[in-house]
Amino acid sequence: MTVIETAALSENSARFLELLSEIPESASATTIDNLDPETKRQIFLFGLRVEVIGYMVFHGLVDVQTVNDLAGGAILSFWSRAKNWSEERRKRTGHDEFLEWCEWLASQITQYRAIRPYTPAYLRSAGRGRSPIGPGD
């Protein structure tokens, strides 16, 4: 949990998610390339954080359900905006591994959600009758 929190849910990531909302889904590589240097840097850094998480899921260090619950929406949102840019960069540089684990993880989350549609936590807990307060509190 600490690694996921550090990798994807840091203060910098929260600021980045705000910036992400300004980039259209399915953005072209040119759209991202034309952003200011700091925003491009933030995109790159967030992608690297997601790379670490994807690698951890692939090797069984954390399961896809946990990642989906904690950051699935952010990861899918990121990838929907960075995919074309990433693919273009791979072609341009010849480095097919650029954001490979990010792409893999987004695919895994998409597959997971196809089988188990996402239900927000506040609806899940209400449906199960769970309370954070223990008996007798």
Side-chain angles (χ1 to χ4, degrees), residues 9-58:
L9 305 174
S10 68
E11 181 180 336
N12 289 338
S13 295
R15 280 190 295 244
F16 171 71
L17 292 175
E18 264 186 82
L19 290 172
L20 194 62
S21 67
E22 298 172 18
I23 301 168
E25 287 195 36
S26 303
S28 69
T30 304
T31 298
I32 302 230
D33 283 335
N34 288 336
L35 294 170
D36 65 88
E38 179 57 23
T39 301
K40 284 193 293 191
R41 183 177 155 294
Q42 291 296 323
I43 290 169
F44 187 76
L45 289 173
F46 189 82
L48 293 177
R49 289 182 189 112
V50 174
E51 283 281 276
V52 170
I53 296 168
Y55 186 81
M56 292 183 339
V57 171
F58 181 81

Side-chain angles (χ1 to χ4, degrees), residues 79-90:
W79 187 245
S80 75
R81 288 157 172 82
K83 181 179 188 229
N84 293 328
W85 173 70
S86 175
E87 289 173 347
E88 183 59 37
R89 184 176 173 132
R90 289 174 188 167

Side-chain angles (χ1 to χ4, degrees), residues 58-126:
F58 181 81
H59 287 284
L61 301 172
V62 65
D63 62 49
V64 74
Q65 178 182 353
T66 301
V67 173
N68 180 56
D69 286 350
L70 290 174
I75 291 166
L76 292 176
S77 180
F78 169 76
W79 187 245
S80 75
R81 288 157 172 82
K83 181 179 188 229
N84 293 328
W85 173 70
S86 175
E87 289 173 347
E88 183 59 37
R89 184 176 173 132
R90 289 174 188 167
K91 288 178 195 171
R92 189 174 64 241
T93 63
H95 295 142
D96 289 338
E97 69 275 7
F98 181 71
L99 297 184
E100 66 182 314
W101 294 110
C102 183
E103 180 173 1
W104 180 85
L105 182 58
S107 173
Q108 296 303 302
I109 292 169
T110 299
Q111 289 174 21
Y112 183 86
R113 288 185 175 197
I115 297 167
R116 298 166 197 86
Y118 187 75
T119 303
Y122 63 88
L123 293 176
R124 281 187 267 162
S125 62

